[in-house]
Amino acid sequence: MRLVKLVLAGALALALAACAGDQYGNPYGPKQTGGTLIGAAAGGLLGAQVGHGGGRLAAVAIGTLGGALIGSEVGKSLDRADRIALEQSTQRALETGQSGAPVGWRNPDSGHYGEVVPQPAYRSNSGQYCREYQQTVTIDGRPQSAYGTACRQPDGSWQVVNS
């Protein structure tokens, strides 16, 4: 429970920092701020899953900071067309992608590209079909990777439940 409170406090601090707004002194754009927040949350979740015992808090802290840094760089660099291409390839990979086979995307205007690799579907405790996946986004020749889980919604779409 203490770990959950620490992760939530860190996320709240990042969210409050993002509230400064670009017009009021925030040196970062909304893409970078969003990327930082998403990366921090994903890194914290990953750290919580891999850390054990007394090292768990350190793993969460390292994961949160590392995720924030990676998310910041990705968010700073991805434009709207990149995000749409990434989202479409993620939905396609989760819906029809063969487990372990990459589903790629490329934005010829920005030169950014990436791939989504879905894993086998499984049924969650709540009865939803879910899939874990790995995303890799390459910006200026530097690949950035993230892991997540998405579950099928009643309307047939896939929603990320953690990343």
Side-chain angles (χ1 to χ4, degrees):
M1 187 62 166
R2 183 174 181 211
L3 177 63
V4 172
K5 289 180 183 178
L6 287 172
V7 171
L8 289 175
L12 180 59
L14 286 171
L16 290 174
C19 290
D22 295 336
Q23 299 154 309
Y24 306 103
N26 184 0
Y28 307 108
K31 292 188 297 183
Q32 187 173 8
T33 301
T36 301
L37 293 173
I38 292 168
L45 286 171
L46 183 61
Q49 291 175 358
V50 299
H52 300 287
R56 185 175 219 165
L57 180 58
V60 170
I62 291 168
T64 299
L65 290 174
L69 290 173
I70 292 169
S72 174
E73 287 303 307
V74 171
K76 178 171 61 175
S77 302
L78 290 182
D79 66 15
R80 185 171 187 266
D82 294 333
R83 290 190 313 271
I84 289 170
L86 174 60
E87 174 62 27
Q88 288 175 344
S89 69
T90 301
Q91 289 292 319
R92 195 169 55 252
L94 294 170
E95 184 64 28
T96 60
Q98 181 180 350
S99 298
V103 175
W105 64 271
R106 177 176 294 278
N107 181 344
D109 295 327
S110 68
H112 301 156
Y113 61 94
E115 65 182 23
V116 180
V117 181
Q119 299 305 311
Y122 63 91
R123 203 166 193 128
S124 71
N125 291 339
S126 64
Q128 288 180 295
Y129 285 101
C130 300
R131 290 183 92 168
E132 293 180 352
Y133 62 94
Q134 177 183 356
Q135 289 180 334
T136 302
V137 176
T138 302
I139 301 167
D140 298 329
R142 294 181 309 209
Q144 308 285 333
S145 294
Y147 300 86
T149 302
C151 294
R152 183 186 294 284
Q153 300 303 295
D155 68 0
S157 66
W158 290 85
Q159 180 178 354
V160 175
V161 294
N162 74 8
S163 57

